[in-house]
Amino acid sequence: MIDLRSDTLTRPTAGMRAALAAAEVGDDVYGEDPALNAFQQRVAALLGHEAGLFTPSGSMANLLGVWALVPPGQEVVCDIRAHIARAELGAHAALHGITMRTWDSADGVTDAATIGAIIAPDAGPYLVSTAAVAIENTHNFGGGTVQPLETLTGISQLCRDAGVRLHLDGARLWNAHVATGEPLDAYGRLFDTVSVCFSKGLGAPVGSMLVGSAELIARARVQRKRLGGGMRQAGILAAAAEYALDHQLERLADDHRAARAFAAEVARAVPGSLDPETVQTNIVVVDTGSRPAAEVAAEAAAAGVLLSVVGRRTLRAVTHLDVTLDECAAAGRIAGALLERR
Ligand SMILES: *Cc1c(COP(=O)(O)O)cnc(C)c1O
């Protein structure tokens, strides 16, 4: 099976397992896990922030980041396909009383003018006030698209001028960094809070992090415990995440090449199904035309290729550590052949 459903499917490498086994640990609810404390500091600095908080999932890092910026009864504004809006089961509303409004975009990439037209800080006694804007980079359901640094700088300036806070869902910020060569902190400094995942393309088994100011992270730490997210010897997990950062960051470029190879094969067979030029990182979105995506996915699975159904006529392929470029090209040929029959 060539499994391209997600980059979360990666398994710990031998080197990572060795690092896990060797980790020095303590009780992190007591703040006594030395490896984890050092790792949180390191990642915060890497992203241009003061402090970091390790979380069991990216969803919890986003939940805490948005919570730290938005009081109950106010809103966070984001893209219509944002992970926080679509894939976190309404947690921001269900648990924190936060509402959302969205802007539309073709591929998840936005600009300051679009956001400026929507935000309503200090909206008065009758309307919902905007407390924060959330950006996703790279954009998952947008097809792994990168938000240009210049655009993000404009958005950051707009929010600062308007008194609106800014959160980055950077689950795949690593991919944006590797694809563009922009330093991680050049992105990170534009935001009040940033979440990053170690369990996607980086290949760690578990773990994400929220970074921000020391004050904000101290509050988020209490809320994490309240949500049941206090972990004990979490240095074991931090050791895997740190190994991923040290050894499996630059190789994300291989995933990007493999995604382009997959896309090129599909586009060769069915030119209208996708534009290979739009593949910027490790995610490829395929239009199945007149055929239901679920049907094509089932046929692909029977032929040895697993893809995600992300819309009625849309499939998603995600390349990662556990699939080679040749396998991705072969998967593209198989998917292309199935789509030719549409
Ligand atoms: C995967 C992902 C997350 C976090 O997902 P978890 O499964 O909760 O770790 C957050 N944002 C984006 C854009 C993602 O792709």
Side-chain angles (χ1 to χ4, degrees), residues 42-241:
R42 177 185 168 191
V43 175
L46 204 57
L47 294 165
H49 282 265
E50 249 174 12
L53 183 71
F54 194 70
T55 58
S57 68
S59 295
M60 189 183 278
N62 281 336
L63 185 63
L64 293 172
V66 172
W67 169 84
L69 305 179
V70 186
Q74 296 195 25
E75 69 183 7
V76 57
V77 175
C78 63
D79 187 85
I80 197 163
R81 290 177 198 80
H83 193 279
I84 65 164
R86 290 201 60 207
E88 295 176 9
L89 299 170
H92 302 265
L95 302 173
H96 292 153
I98 292 167
T99 66
M100 287 181 184
R101 272 187 308 134
T102 56
W103 64 78
D104 202 354
S105 72
D107 55 5
V109 177
T110 191
D111 54 43
T114 302
I115 295 173
I118 293 177
I119 54 171
D122 306 317
Y126 308 120
L127 299 173
V128 178
S129 291
T130 309
V133 167
I135 299 287
E136 193 171 306
N137 192 26
T138 68
H139 202 287
N140 182 349
F141 297 129
T145 44
V146 177
Q147 313 274 349
L149 188 60
E150 199 185 330
T151 312
L152 293 176
T153 305
I155 293 169
S156 180
Q157 193 59 53
L158 169 90
C159 288
R160 210 159 292 166
D161 293 347
V164 168
R165 313 293 293 281
L166 192 55
H167 173 72
L168 174 63
D169 178 350
R172 294 189 183 80
L173 187 63
W174 317 111
N175 296 82
H177 160 67
V178 167
T180 62
E182 300 286 5
L184 287 162
D185 69 331
Y187 287 115
R189 288 180 203 283
L190 300 174
F191 298 85
D192 295 292
T193 47
V194 180
S195 68
V196 288
C197 278
F198 305 107
S199 58
K200 299 275 169 80
L202 284 189
V206 181
S208 288
M209 199 179 291
L210 178 71
V211 304
S213 70
E215 186 221 331
L216 191 148
I217 292 299
R219 285 175 54 220
R221 189 177 174 86
V222 175
Q223 185 67 1
R224 183 188 66 175
K225 185 74 174 81
R226 189 172 285 127
L227 293 170
M231 294 171 283
R232 301 296 177 173
Q233 284 71 33
I236 292 266
L237 302 176

